[in-house]
Structure formats: structure tokens, C-alpha cells
Amino acid sequence: HTEVTAEDLSEKLQAFTRKIQALQEQKKEKLSEYSYQKSRFLSELREVSFQLNEKNLSESLRQLKELKKEASRKLANLSADLKALDLQHPEKEKKQLQQHLKLAREATRDFYNIEKTSEEIEKLTSEKEIIAPKLKNLPEEIEKAENTSEKLKNLLENLNLKKENQLLRASLEEHRLNLKDGEACPLCGALEHPFAQDLPAKDDSLDREIAKTEKELQEWTRKLNSASLNYKILKERLQELDENLKAAVKKANHQKLQFSAKYAVLPKAENSEGWENNCTAYENLLNQLEQYEKGQKTASAISAGIPALQKLIEILQEGKELKQKLDKFYKGDDVYRDSQQFQNSWIRNLEEKKNLTAKHEEIGKTSEEKEAAKSQIEAALSPKVSGQGFEAIEDAFNALMPDTECNALRSKRETVQKQIDTISASLNILNAQLETSKKMDVEKEREALIKELEAQKEKLQNISDECKEIDRIIKNHDENVERLATLKSEIAEKEKQTKRWRLLNELIGDSKGKNFNDFAQDLSLGQLLQLANVRLKDLSDRYYIDKPEEEEDDGLVAIDEHMGGQRRSVKTLSGGETFILSLSMALALSDLASKNVEINSLFIDEGFGTLDPETLDQTLDTLEKLQAESSKTIGIISHVDSLKERIATQIRLTRNGQGYSSLEVN
């Protein structure tokens, strides 16, 4: 809005540009100051859950002041709850609370162990009270069972003597009772016994009494054995309970003394729940103390953030005023560019004004020349127009035929001339054809020509039918070729789809993966046989094991090095050789499994009785070497006496009868 002239335009534009650039620089500085102050504010409140509303900083300031009031209120409440602590040194109090919490947790665990020991004492005492009456009554039951069994034994002995006396005194009539047809008579040897018929009834009351007495004796013997066994078991259990009870009481007293000395600084509690409550109380105090520290940091951050936000509002207000002042003069983006464009436009307009002035002068000169030429043409044309009967040049111009009508007539004349030329050419062609037809005329009669024409038509029809048949064959061939190409494309697509399934079938086999299982098992078998041959070399230098070939059966094959590498089935080996191979396979299985799982023990059950002394010594040497190298515990279960001399540590199982055995470790 400044008046300018051509002379002072550049100077005033430069002054305006410098003024706007200065204002823009001030605005940029305010923006940088705003960004710095905003970063400082956000840094102060990084630990506070607060979202800055840049569109309404006054509202954010109000919210921040509310947060400060809330933080002060929470700090006051926490200070009241933590009045027993020294809040001037929170870290020291926190460390002490953590130590007390750790000690309280240990006290809870130790008190639980004390209660567990007390429960164990009560349980042992209760069991002792149950066993004592039973153990007190068992001697009477044993004595009663012994007396009754002794009486029944005497009674059974008397009954058996009575039975023997009856047999010795048996008469012929009594012998008749024992005769059976087909069995020899003890007196005469006859096989038929007619005198054994119509026998008197046999008296078997003594037999029934003997059977009854034997049954009662068995019952009382069972009671005696049961009572004796129970007495022994209960007596041993009572002794065990007394020992365990003494140990538990001693342990409980020791635990209580240790507990009292170790946790004297903590508040006392009567049970585990009380000690857990102590832990909860310490945890709550720690939580409140941490909240107090956090609240202090929050309050401090808010206190530091309020002046920063106020400064931010002040900077924003100054920036707005600066922007209003800048917008009053200039609203563009690049004042230097706009000024330069304005100056360039001013220069272009000046140049254009000069050009238009020069052009105007040139057009004036041209107009004068045209007027002079017009006057000369009118002077020359006027006599010619008058000679044609026109008074003025304008009347002659008006009498001229219009260009459109003239062009239409000229076009019509050209069309008529073309028709005449076309008809003349057609007439010449027809005359020439007439002359040619006269020369080609034949001497045959009309009827002969008609017959010949019909014959030619029939021949043409036959040839046409043959052509149609050939076209049909060609068409069918083309269709078959297209169909064959389609089928080849489908076959190729199906082959592509079935390729992976055929590959899977070759690698895996059926849905159960038989081929893959066989392949994987064959790999495992190969690795197992390799490890077994390493072990077998220490046991015997004669054989090593291999997988069967195609012409052999599905069993393993032993290769006999003493027989020139002869292959033979392991089924043809002797018992000792089979044991050696089995032991090497077992050791190989242990080696194979120990790659993923540590196997610290190996037990061999029997088989040593089939070995000759030399092989037995070699086998035991190998096992001792294996135990020394691998730190495995190797156990041999056998009844072979010759092994006792070689094995230092032995567990002997001795049968004691009545279904019991005893173990002895030497």
C-alpha cells in the first residue's frame, strides 16, 4: 500500500523485503523458543501422566494446577499413614522395610516348618496311642492261639492213631468196602469182586472228625502266624515311632530356639496366618513409601512444569501478535521471491509499453500507405466499371454472383462431365464384349450344349461333394488336433499337480509314512550297528554285525572274520556267541541314547552261564573298562558262581520262606 515510481520502485521493494524478513526471522525465533520451551516442559513432566493440549494451553495449565492439588492431597494422606517413618530419609526407611519384609518371609517359612514338625509330633503320638493297645492285646492272642493249636495237634494225632488202629483191626467186611471192579484184590489178586456187592454202609465219622480237626488246626495256625507277624511289625513300628518322636521333639525344640533368637526384632504372631499378615503389613508400608516417593517426584515435576507452561503460553501469545503484524503487511511464503517477481513484472510491463508504442507508430505509417494504394486502384477501376453499365464500383461488386453459387454450378458441371465420360467408357466396353462374343460363338445345337452343361454341373456337384467331405475331414482333424493340445495341456497340469504327491509317495509311502519310517529306521539301525561293532571289537575279534542284503532274510547278519568274511544269520550262532552280540547291541543302544539323555546305570540279567571261561573273562574285562571310562554303574544279575570272584560289590538275595526274602550287601 505504498505509492511508487519507476525510479524508487527497486529501493522501496528492498526496504519492504528487509522489513518482512526481519519479522519472519522474529517469528522463526519465537517458534524455536516455543519448541525449546515445549521440550523442556515435556521433559519436566515425563514421569507424569499428562497430555499437553496445544490448541488450548490455558486449559492445560488449569488441568496441571488441578493435578498439583491432587498430588499434594495424596502426599498429605500418605504422610499421615507413614507418620511412624522418617520421611526425610525415605531410602533408608525403604531399605530397612525391605530387610524386615525379607526377614518376615523367612520367619513365615520357618514358622510353617515348626508347625509342620508339631503336626508330625501329633501324628506320631496319635499313631503310637493307636498301636500301644493293639500291641498290649497281641501276646494274649498269641498265647491263646499257641495253646489252641497245641491242643488241636494233640487231638489230631490221637485221631490219626485211632484211624491207624481201625485200619489194623479191619476185618474182611471192612476190606470189602475198599474193593473196586478192575482193581486187584490185596488178598487174592482177582479183578472181579462179586462178594463186594450189597455191602453194608461204611462208617466215615472218624474221617469227618479228622478233616474238621485239620481245618480248625489250619485256621488257628493262620491266626497264630498272623498275630505273631503283627506283633513283630507293630513292635518294630512302635520302636520306630519312639525314635521318630524323640527326633521330632528335639527338632521342634531346636527350631523354636533358633526362631526366637533369629526373629526377636519382628512383631510376634501366634500362627502362620499372623506371620503372613506381618509380611502383608510390611509390603503395604513399602508400597505406600514407594507411592510417597513417586508422589513427591510427581509434585516436583508438576511444580517445575507450571512456570514452564506459563512461559509457553507467553511465547505463544507473542508469536500470535507477531504473526498478526506480519499478516498485516505480507501473507506470502517467500517475500524475496515475490518482490523479485513483482520487480520483474514491472520491468516486463515497461518493455511491453515501449514495444506497443513503436508498433502503434508502425501501424500508422502502414495505414497511410494502404490509403494511397486504394486511391490508385479506384482511379484505374472506375472507367472499366462504367463501361459495363455500372455507375459505381460498389454497384458492380454487388452485381457479382456469390462464391457459393458459383462453386455449386462449377461442381455440377464437373459431375455431368464425369457421367458422360463413364457412359462413353461403358459403351466402348460393351461393343468390345459384343465383338468378342461373336468370335466365341460355337456351331453346336442348343440341346447338345444344354446336355453338356448338365453333365458339367453334375461333375461340378460331385467335385463339390468331395470338397465338402474333405473339408469335413480337415475340420474333424483340426478339432482333434485342438482337443489333443487341450488334453496335453491338462495332462501337463495334472503331472505338475501330482508331481509332489508322487515325490511324497516315493519318499514317505502311504498315509502312515511306511517308506519314510523304513528309511529313518534303516539310518538308526546303521548307526546302531556301527556303535555295536565298536563295542563288539572289545568283546570278540571274530564277528561284526551287518544289515542283511536283498537276497538274505530280514534278520541281522554276522560276518565271521575267522572264516574269510563269511556271512551267516545270527540265528545260527551259539548261545554264548548270541549273548556276546546281544551285549554289544545293548551297549550300542546305551551309547546311542546317551547322546540326548544321560544314562548312568546298566543292568545285565543272566546270559553269562552260556560263556566259556575265556570269553567270560574277556567280557568282564570289557564291562570293567566301560564302567571306569564312562562312570556308569553296571549291574549283573546272575547265579553263576564264577562271577563272585570277579565282582567286589554284591547284593545277595536269600529266600527265608513264608514268602519273605532278605537282602545282604557285601
Side-chain angles (χ1 to χ4, degrees), residues 536 540-545 558-560 568 573 577 581:
L536 184 58
S540 173
D541 62 346
R542 179 173 182 178
Y543 296 104
Y544 71 89
I545 315 171
I559 298 177
D560 193 344
R568 53 189 288 195
L573 300 177
E577 293 170 334
L581 265 63

Side-chain angles (χ1 to χ4, degrees), residues 144-160 209-225:
K144 180 180 178 182
E146 288 177 347
N147 295 333
T148 305
S149 298
E150 189 65 28
K151 291 179 181 179
L152 289 173
K153 285 180 182 179
N154 294 332
L155 178 59
L156 183 60
E157 186 178 353
N158 293 332
L159 290 174
N160 287 328
E209 188 176 357
I210 290 173
K212 179 181 178 182
T213 305
E214 287 178 347
K215 186 176 181 181
E216 290 180 357
L217 179 59
Q218 290 176 356
E219 179 65 22
W220 280 100
T221 302
R222 185 190 63 77
K223 290 181 179 180
L224 176 61
N225 292 334

